[in-house]
Amino acid sequence: MLRRPKPTDSEADILREQNQFLTSGAPSAASVVRHPVKRRGEAGKDGGHREESQKDVVTIEDLPDELPSLTPAPPKKSKATRVAFEDEDAEERLDTHDHHLTAVLSRIVERDTSSVPVSLPAFTGMAFPKVLHRSQTTVGFCVVRFTQQLGCTFRLFYRLLESWFSSGPRLVSGQGLPGPNSTVETMRIHRENRANLQGMSQSEIVEEQKKLLSQLDPRLVEFVRSRTAQSFPLSASTSTTSGDKRSENDQSESSESKPLGVSTSAQKTQEVQMDEEDGQLSSSRPVTKVLPVNPQKEWVHMDKVESEKLEWMSDLPAPRRKGTEKAMQARFDFAGTLIPPAEDLPTHLGLHHHGEEPERAGYSLQELFLLSRSQIIQQRCLALSTLANILSKARAGQYRSVLTGSVLSTLLDAGLLFLLRFALDDGVEGGMSAAVHALNALLVCSEDEECLDTTFSWFRGMVSFPLLPSAQDEEDDEDDPCTDEILKETAKEKEERKSDQEVATKDVVKGLFKMKLLPRLRYILEVVRPSPPVVEDILEILTRIARHSSSSATQLLDCPRLMGTVMTEFVPTSWTASSVFPPQSVYGLPLHSAVKLLRVLATSGRHACARVVTARFCAEPSELLLESSEAFRVTTEAYRLWAVATAYGQACFLFFFLSRSSSVVCNVESVHRDPESAPALPGLACSRWRTRPGLAVPDSPFPLLTGLGLLLETITRIHKGLCSKVSVIQDHFLSSQVPLEPKVALYASLYHQVALVLLSWLLPGSEFLAHELLSTTIFSKDFISEGHSGGPEAVELGELKLNEEPVNHTSPSLHTVGALLREACTELPSIRGCFLTHLAHLDSSVLSSRDSYLGRNPWVKSHLLPELSGPILPLDWPFLPLISLYERAGMADGGGRAVEELPHGALQAVTNCLQWLLLLEVWRGDALKVIPPVAKLARLSCIFLCSSDLFLERPVQRLTWGLFRLLTRTSCLDSLDLNVAPPGLASFEDLYLALLSQYEAVSLGDRLFGCWVLLPLQRRYSTTMRLAVFGEHVGTLRSLGVPLDQLSIPIERFTSPPEDSLPLLHLYFRALVTRTLKPSWCPVLYVVALSHINSFIFSQDAAAQFYGRFYTYVVNNY
């Protein structure tokens, strides 16, 4: 039995089944019936009969006579039917009812073109054949359908268009109108519309326009407007040659061939008026622009004119001339040179390819940032190289006189660090190399490195400060509910919690660590193996990172395979001499920059030194198979490396002698501040160090003097009896037990002044020197020769003022300054013990510094100095005991607090501090000039604020009176400026308010305290303090009984010039009228208030209106 075919059967299976069916002779399940084709003729014709015999007709049972409707209908259930065959012609039935697209396309007959001649296009001189535009053809069927559907609306809308374009129909040409004479009909409609418009007033026209716009479809109106706006620029450009010559009639006649004609000036005026009255229309038509090229219709894709693009083809305008006061945007060439705003450079240099200010040559920083993110590698490399050149010139100070602000800070704030880090991941070696060069220009200062290398052989030249940014206060997290958890976090966890942007803003090097810079540099060195300049740049970058801090050096050493690659490739034990100079590759050759990197890492600590120290270059430069200059630099860096190692007591077996290392420590916070320095990227400020005055110049005598001094100090420590044999020994080389020679004693006061100045200059790492100066020189009576050579007596004679007229205002006669100085000289050992006690927190730093200075190498932990936060001692260190007592007993916010009992030894500490201040103020005034007078007054005010009765103690009273006499000298009063905030305080006014509150509470009418309160009330100082006394603290007037003869300040400083503050004069007048101010209670301020009131009332300069204002003010307030 035959089976039906299955979907899985192949073609061979189907053919095999067919052969079996044919050979079996079984009847077929379907019969074929031949029917004539009626559409091709009758059945009796021959042709039709032949076609009938060749057609197969298949009939299907239950086939509907009509096709189902296309509209959706409810689904009907159909029963399974079988295929049946009938004698009916199904094709004819389908053809009768078939309206589908296939019925149309089923009778496609190809036309016979064998007899049609073929015509080739004519040859022309044009490169391309002429383009056929749609405007040259008839509108066609679509326009006809469009106009027929519009009906009457077309005429209304056409009239609206005619009101806008009075010169002729512009949008519709009339070709779609029925009839043979459509053009004539169009012009008739046009003339009719014009006649109607001329008979209407302007208000009627506007009203009809609004009415028509409200009736029409808004989308249709918008379509017409857009078509008009698109066609206007093209018509405007062609109107420049012929528009002015044609008359209105000529334009009307040519409207058939040019439907988008040129509008006249009258038409433009009408359009502007309509737009002003109709808010929906634009305010004016586009202004005609003179384009560099007039587009032609024959040009491809120029049917829409883009003026902005065509403007690029025009000539550049002339650059702005000199003398302008407006700030100009800085533009640079590819070498980083700043281009003057008015300089006109040729365009072939490639410096005009930017959108903003196209007339100016050069690129701005913003444009270089944009260019560095280009997809074209050449543009990226060019932008990064230009940024590198700009950074190099900025560090060299070439922009200081011509640019405002710091270029380096501006670039960092703009995100340069992230841009360079992303560029390091460039897959193209050229872009990666340009990024490395730019990063080197950002981080490395060649002058700093050169200065450090030059001073390495000086005394302690191998030590240096870490290049850390200045310490910044952390944000206040008190309001954070997770404060307790945050406080438990370590510094490392806090650093990890911050984003890259936050870290990089405060510290560039830490930001690079967080952005995984070291693994990327290791990959470049190990895998990419770049060219020699890129290798040098990477090694210099690593050296700058190692100078950042000891932790940075440790991270650099711990980076996997980084230092191993450097040691293997650039510090090899053996190599082959290169036959080409310079070599094309430095891999396998020793580099001096690699050895310098090891040396800088070794200075970070003894453990780091033990990891990198090597004895590979213990040879003369001539023995190295290198170029002579490179061999000399490699050998020099090798010796410096071993000098660092021997300073730790390591690798000493390699050398039996090394030069005595002598150097000076570079100051990160130098007085020569670099304007290009950024807070997040500090440097040594060594720019132009060769030509700038200072110690670190090539011909400086400082290294010789320090070396000689070190030698003499070593000799005198070994045998103190040799001091008499050396006549040039300085005082700071001697201990306190060695008596001074007579010749040296003549200059003892000079040595003492130098020691005082030097003490305030010492930086962290020199704590041992500070301790030695304080112990042996600063408080030594041998160096204060005035104390035992008639100094106090001379001061007493000066107190008598024999050469001057008698003075009425004097301090208590029993307490002369001379006697106080005599007592202070006898208390110098006690004073020294007091200050050393308050500096006991530096003991650990003193011991560490002593090991380094005395050459105790096995105990030296690192040659990287502590973080630089300022000098070891503050400038106001003579006030240190007094400030410490105030911090313990007083309130830190400036308010006083009564203390029942002073801490143990507080009275003696304050007495010693005041004695030392009195001694310095009289005999060493130059040493205190670095402290502003307002700071001195603020520090001494702690005497009254830290306790309720300390100022009443007799020794404190005597010494404070003496200091008050010295501070109120004429020269001191002239330099005292209370309008400047004292260091550490927001303003002096806040401190004075605290003094007033303390005076009201605990003064008991003390005259010393009263003089202290009266001092800031001088006329030249702020009115705020006088308003506070006569206002909210008016109670002080009852007990401020300082007599005029006891005040050491001239009364003229309180009364002159006359007061001009109406509120204060009002308070003066109220205090006098209400008798709150009496001469028996407060004689000084009584005289002051009375003087100012009299001057105000009886002054000839005061006009009547001024007196009237004061009278009105008094009446309104009483």
Side-chain angles (χ1 to χ4, degrees):
M1 180 179 180
L2 298 177
R3 65 179 182 86
R4 289 181 177 275
K6 297 180 179 180
T8 58
D9 291 348
S10 63
E11 186 176 359
D13 295 335
I14 296 176
L15 292 176
R16 186 175 59 255
E17 292 292 338
Q18 181 180 358
N19 293 332
Q20 292 179 2
F21 171 75
L22 294 177
T23 55
S24 63
S28 59
S31 60
V32 179
V33 180
R34 305 290 183 180
H35 289 280
V37 181
K38 296 182 180 180
R39 288 180 298 179
R40 296 189 180 182
E42 297 299 331
K45 294 183 180 181
D46 297 338
H49 180 73
R50 286 194 299 266
E51 290 181 3
E52 290 178 5
S53 61
Q54 297 178 358
K55 180 180 291 187
D56 297 338
V57 179
V58 178
T59 59
I60 304 176
E61 187 179 0
D62 297 335
L63 182 67
D65 295 338
E66 297 181 359
L67 293 177
S69 176
L70 297 178
T71 58
K76 298 181 179 180
K77 295 183 180 180
S78 60
K79 298 181 180 180
T81 59
R82 62 181 181 85
V83 179
F85 298 91
E86 300 178 357
D87 294 337
E88 182 182 2
D89 191 353
E91 180 182 6
E92 182 180 357
R93 184 172 53 188
L94 289 175
D95 292 341
T96 304
H97 304 283
D98 190 7
H99 297 286
H100 195 261
L101 181 62
T102 56
V104 181
L105 298 180
S106 60
R107 296 300 178 183
I108 296 178
V109 180
E110 183 179 0
R111 186 175 59 181
D112 187 10
T113 59
S114 59
S115 61
V116 178
V118 178
S119 60
L120 297 176
F123 291 97
T124 62
M126 302 177 61
F128 296 95
K130 186 177 181 181
V131 180
L132 182 64
H133 290 271
R134 288 180 295 175
S135 61
Q136 300 175 356
T137 61
T138 59
V139 177
F141 174 75
C142 295
V143 176
V144 175
R145 293 283 303 272
F146 175 73
T147 55
Q148 290 177 355
Q149 289 177 1
L150 283 180
C152 296
T153 309
F154 173 79
R155 288 181 174 271
L156 296 176
F157 187 72
Y158 189 76
R159 290 181 179 180
L160 174 64
L161 295 177
E162 289 303 308
S163 65
W164 289 347
F165 312 107
S166 60
S167 61
R170 298 181 57 185
L171 183 65
V172 183
S173 62
Q175 295 180 2
L177 295 177
N181 298 326
S182 59
T183 305
V184 177
E185 179 67 15
T186 301
M187 295 306 302
R188 187 187 64 78
I189 297 174
H190 174 61
R191 287 192 293 270
E192 180 184 349
N193 290 336
R194 292 196 59 182
N196 293 335
L197 287 174
Q198 291 176 358
M200 299 173 64
S201 63
Q202 185 66 28
S203 59
E204 292 176 348
I205 293 175
V206 173
E207 184 178 358
E208 290 295 329
Q209 289 173 354
K210 294 181 179 180
K211 184 183 300 183
L212 289 176
L213 288 174
S214 62
Q215 295 175 357
L216 295 176
D217 187 0
R219 293 178 295 179
L220 182 62
V221 177
E222 188 65 27
F223 166 74
V224 176
R225 287 175 177 171
S226 62
R227 290 291 303 272
T228 304
Q230 292 177 4
S231 62
F232 188 82
L234 182 59
S235 62
S237 63
T238 58
S239 65
T240 57
T241 57
S242 60
D244 297 334
K245 297 180 181 179
R246 295 184 180 179
S247 63
E248 181 178 351
N249 296 331
D250 296 337
Q251 293 176 359
S252 301
E253 294 174 359
S254 62
S255 61
E256 181 179 359
S257 59
K258 291 185 180 180
L260 301 181
V262 183
S263 60
T264 62
S265 59
Q267 176 184 342
K268 293 182 180 179
T269 304
Q270 184 180 2
E271 292 174 2
V272 173
Q273 294 176 356
M274 291 174 58
D275 294 338
E276 291 177 354
E277 297 174 356
D278 188 4
Q280 297 181 355
L281 299 179
S282 59
S283 60
S284 62
R285 292 295 175 186
V287 181
T288 302
K289 296 183 179 179
V290 180
L291 300 177
V293 177
N294 292 327
Q296 303 296 329
K297 291 185 177 181
E298 293 78 12
W299 295 356
V300 182
H301 301 306
M302 288 299 292
D303 53 344
K304 180 180 179 182
V305 179
E306 296 178 293
S307 305
E308 295 81 3
K309 295 182 179 180
L310 288 178
E311 287 179 357
W312 283 87
M313 302 176 63
S314 61
D315 294 334
L316 291 175
R320 188 178 300 176
R321 298 301 178 188
K322 295 182 180 179
T324 179
E325 298 180 356
K326 183 179 179 181
M328 306 289 290
Q329 188 178 28
R331 294 192 173 275
F332 307 87
D333 61 7
F334 298 129
T337 305
L338 184 67
I339 300 178
E343 186 170 355
D344 192 4
L345 296 178
T347 57
H348 70 270
L349 298 178
L351 299 175
H352 295 81
H353 298 167
H354 48 80
E356 296 183 359
E357 300 178 326
E359 71 279 4
R360 292 187 56 195
Y363 292 88
S364 65
L365 297 179
Q366 181 180 2
E367 291 165 352
L368 289 174
F369 269 58
L370 181 63
L371 193 63
S372 65
R373 298 191 296 270
S374 172
Q375 295 183 355
I376 303 175
I377 180 59
Q378 291 84 355
Q379 294 181 352
R380 296 201 302 269
C381 295
L382 187 63
L384 293 174
S385 300
T386 304
L387 288 173
N389 296 332
I390 292 174
L391 289 170
S392 300
K393 292 183 181 296
R395 285 191 175 276
Q398 297 187 13
Y399 306 138
R400 293 174 184 172
S401 60
V402 291
L403 292 182
T404 57
S406 172
V407 176
L408 185 60
S409 299
T410 302
L411 288 173
L412 287 176
D413 294 340
L416 176 65
L417 195 65
F418 296 90
L419 175 67
L420 298 181
R421 179 60 189 90
F422 297 154
L424 284 177
D425 296 333
D426 199 327
V428 182
E429 184 176 351
M432 177 204 64
S433 301
V436 170
H437 182 57
L439 185 61
N440 178 276
L442 173 65
L443 296 179
V444 181
C445 181
S446 58
E447 292 187 337
D448 286 358
E449 294 295 331
E450 186 179 1
C451 183
L452 288 174
D453 293 342
T454 303
T455 59
F456 182 85
S457 60
W458 294 13
F459 175 62
R460 288 178 56 80
M462 66 181 65
V463 299
S464 62
F465 286 103
L467 299 182
L468 284 169
S470 58
Q472 300 181 0
D473 296 334
E474 297 292 335
E475 298 181 356
D476 188 10
D477 295 332
E478 294 182 357
D479 298 335
D480 194 349
C482 304
T483 302
D484 296 336
E485 298 180 359
I486 294 177
L487 292 177
K488 296 178 182 178
E489 293 181 348
T490 62
K492 183 178 180 180
E493 293 174 346
K494 291 181 179 180
E495 200 75 23
E496 293 176 351
R497 188 163 50 88
K498 296 179 181 178
S499 63
D500 296 353
Q501 176 66 29
E502 294 174 345
V503 176
T505 301
K506 296 182 178 180
D507 195 326
V508 169
V509 175
K510 287 186 178 180
L512 290 174
F513 278 131
K514 197 170 180 62
M515 289 185 279
K516 308 297 182 183
L517 174 68
L518 295 183
R520 181 59 183 173
L521 295 181
R522 191 271 311 161
Y523 174 83
I524 296 174
L525 289 176
E526 184 181 23
V527 180
V528 180
R529 300 174 72 89
S531 59
V534 180
V535 174
E536 291 285 346
D537 288 342
I538 292 178
L539 294 176
E540 291 177 0
I541 291 173
L542 295 177
T543 303
R544 172 59 179 85
I545 292 175
R547 291 191 185 277
H548 176 265
S549 60
S550 58
S551 61
S552 299
T554 303
Q555 293 186 53
L556 199 151
L557 288 170
D558 294 339
C559 182
R561 303 199 310 275
L562 175 59
M563 291 310 301
T565 302
V566 173
M567 297 282 288
T568 303
E569 300 292 347
F570 310 117
V571 195
T573 56
S574 62
W575 63 93
T576 304
S578 176
S579 59
V580 181
F581 180 80
Q584 297 181 354
S585 177
V586 293
Y587 281 80
L589 297 177
L591 296 179
H592 75 279
S593 54
V595 184
K596 180 179 179 179
L597 172 61
L598 300 182
R599 187 246 298 177
V600 175
L601 288 172
T603 59
S604 64
R606 62 170 42 253
H607 298 292
C609 181
R611 296 173 63 177
V612 302
V613 70
T614 179
R616 296 174 177 176
F617 297 112
C618 185
E620 293 297 324
S622 58
E623 301 177 3
L624 300 178
L625 301 177
L626 297 172
E627 192 269 332
S628 58
S629 60
E630 180 66 16
F632 178 79
R633 290 194 293 265
V634 169
T635 304
T636 302
E637 288 298 335
Y639 278 107
R640 289 173 179 172
L641 173 60
W642 280 306
V644 175
T646 54
Y648 292 116
Q650 301 175 3
C652 295
F653 62 92
L654 298 174
F655 296 93
F656 60 90
F657 176 79
L658 281 177
S659 300
R660 181 174 288 107
S661 298
S662 56
S663 175
V664 65
V665 177
C666 294
N667 184 2
V668 179
E669 296 184 354
S670 173
V671 293
H672 306 281
R673 296 297 297 171
D674 189 357
E676 285 297 337
S677 62
L681 189 63
L684 297 178
C686 294
S687 59
R688 307 187 312 278
W689 66 278
R690 290 185 176 274
T691 58
R692 191 177 63 196
L695 295 177
V697 293
D699 56 348
S700 173
F702 187 77
L704 176 61
L705 294 177
T706 53
L708 179 60
L710 181 62
L711 174 61
L712 297 178
E713 197 271 343
T714 304
I715 293 175
T716 54
R717 284 188 180 275
I718 295 175
H719 195 286
K720 294 185 174 70
L722 298 177
C723 296
S724 59
K725 304 297 182 181
V726 184
S727 60
V728 294
I729 299 178
Q730 303 294 328
D731 64 284
H732 58 279
F733 298 140
L734 305 176
S735 60
S736 58
Q737 290 81 7
V738 181
L740 292 178
E741 293 294 327
K743 294 182 180 180
V744 179
L746 294 176
Y747 305 100
S749 60
L750 177 61
Y751 298 156
H752 191 256
Q753 293 178 19
V754 172
L756 286 172
V757 175
L758 179 62
L759 183 64
S760 61
W761 285 0
L762 293 177
L763 300 175
S766 302
E767 291 82 2
F768 172 70
L769 293 182
H771 185 271
E772 287 293 304
L773 287 176
L774 291 173
S775 301
T776 61
T777 306
I778 299 297
F779 300 105
S780 175
K781 62 180 180 180
D782 295 332
F783 291 96
I784 306 178
S785 58
E786 295 85 352
H788 50 79
S789 61
E793 290 77 10
V795 175
E796 289 179 349
L797 292 177
E799 285 286 312
L800 296 177
K801 300 183 182 296
L802 297 178
N803 297 327
E804 297 181 6
E805 297 180 358
V807 183
N808 295 329
H809 42 271
T810 60
S811 58
S813 58
L814 296 179
H815 308 147
T816 61
V817 177
L820 297 176
L821 288 173
R822 193 179 296 108
E823 294 178 5
C825 290
T826 59
E827 296 292 334
L828 281 176
S830 177
I831 296 174
R832 177 179 60 187
C834 173
F835 278 91
L836 290 177
T837 301
H838 283 82
L839 296 175
H841 63 281
L842 298 175
D843 287 346
S844 59
S845 301
V846 170
L847 296 177
S848 177
S849 176
R850 181 185 62 182
D851 295 336
S852 179
Y853 271 96
L854 298 183
R856 300 177 180 178
N857 298 336
W859 289 273
V860 176
K861 297 180 179 179
S862 173
H863 290 298
L864 196 63
L865 296 173
E867 181 180 352
L868 181 61
S869 57
I872 299 174
L873 299 180
L875 294 177
D876 58 350
W877 67 268
F879 297 88
L880 188 59
L882 193 58
I883 297 175
S884 300
L885 179 62
Y886 172 73
E887 291 177 349
R888 286 188 294 168
M891 295 181 65
D893 59 355
R897 184 178 67 183
V899 178
E900 297 295 335
E901 184 179 358
L902 288 173
H904 178 70
L907 178 60
Q908 184 63 35
V910 172
T911 302
N912 291 334
C913 178
L914 295 177
Q915 289 174 339
W916 179 244
L917 289 172
L918 185 65
L919 188 147
L920 293 179
E921 195 68 44
V922 176
W923 290 331
R924 300 290 184 266
D926 293 340
L928 295 179
K929 284 184 177 180
V930 295
I931 307 175
V934 64
K936 296 179 184 179
L937 186 64
R939 298 325 187 241
L940 289 174
S941 300
C942 296
I943 298 173
F944 306 99
L945 294 176
C946 63
S947 176
S948 59
D949 57 354
L950 177 62
F951 60 92
L952 299 176
E953 298 290 341
R954 182 172 178 78
V956 176
Q957 277 263 333
R958 297 172 59 206
L959 292 168
T960 309
W961 267 118
L963 289 171
F964 183 77
R965 286 291 309 277
L966 296 174
L967 291 176
T968 54
R969 290 173 295 184
T970 303
S971 59
C972 295
L973 287 176
D974 293 339
S975 60
L976 180 61
D977 186 7
L978 301 184
N979 297 324
V980 178
L985 295 177
S987 65
F988 186 82
E989 286 82 358
D990 297 339
L991 178 65
Y992 186 72
L993 294 178
L995 281 172
L996 288 178
S997 301
Q998 188 78 344
Y999 182 84
E1000 288 182 304
V1002 299
S1003 69
L1004 300 178
D1006 181 69
R1007 295 185 177 182
L1008 173 62
F1009 203 167
C1011 290
W1012 217 267
V1013 172
L1014 290 173
L1015 175 62
L1017 300 181
Q1018 299 178 55
R1019 178 63 180 86
R1020 61 189 292 249
Y1021 299 135
S1022 175
T1023 311
T1024 305
M1025 294 181 285
R1026 298 193 292 276
L1027 289 173
V1029 173
F1030 283 88
E1032 58 189 62
H1033 296 281
V1034 71
T1036 57
L1037 302 177
R1038 182 66 178 82
S1039 58
L1040 201 58
V1042 180
L1044 292 174
D1045 58 352
Q1046 195 172 358
L1047 183 66
S1048 58
I1049 306 174
I1051 193 63
E1052 291 80 8
R1053 290 183 176 268
F1054 296 89
T1055 59
S1056 179
E1059 186 62 61
D1060 56 357
S1061 173
L1062 285 179
L1064 185 57
L1065 290 172
H1066 162 235
L1067 294 178
Y1068 285 163
F1069 186 79
R1070 185 181 68 177
L1072 293 173
V1073 171
T1074 59
R1075 299 188 62 81
T1076 305
L1077 182 62
K1078 295 182 180 180
S1080 57
W1081 290 349
C1082 186
V1084 176
L1085 293 184
Y1086 179 82
V1087 173
V1088 172
L1090 190 62
S1091 174
H1092 285 301
I1093 291 297
N1094 290 335
S1095 298
F1096 176 75
I1097 295 177
F1098 300 104
S1099 175
Q1100 297 298 327
D1101 298 334
Q1105 57 179 357
F1106 196 48
Y1107 177 77
R1109 289 171 54 196
F1110 177 74
Y1111 177 79
T1112 305
Y1113 186 84
V1114 173
V1115 171
N1116 293 335
N1117 290 273
Y1118 285 99

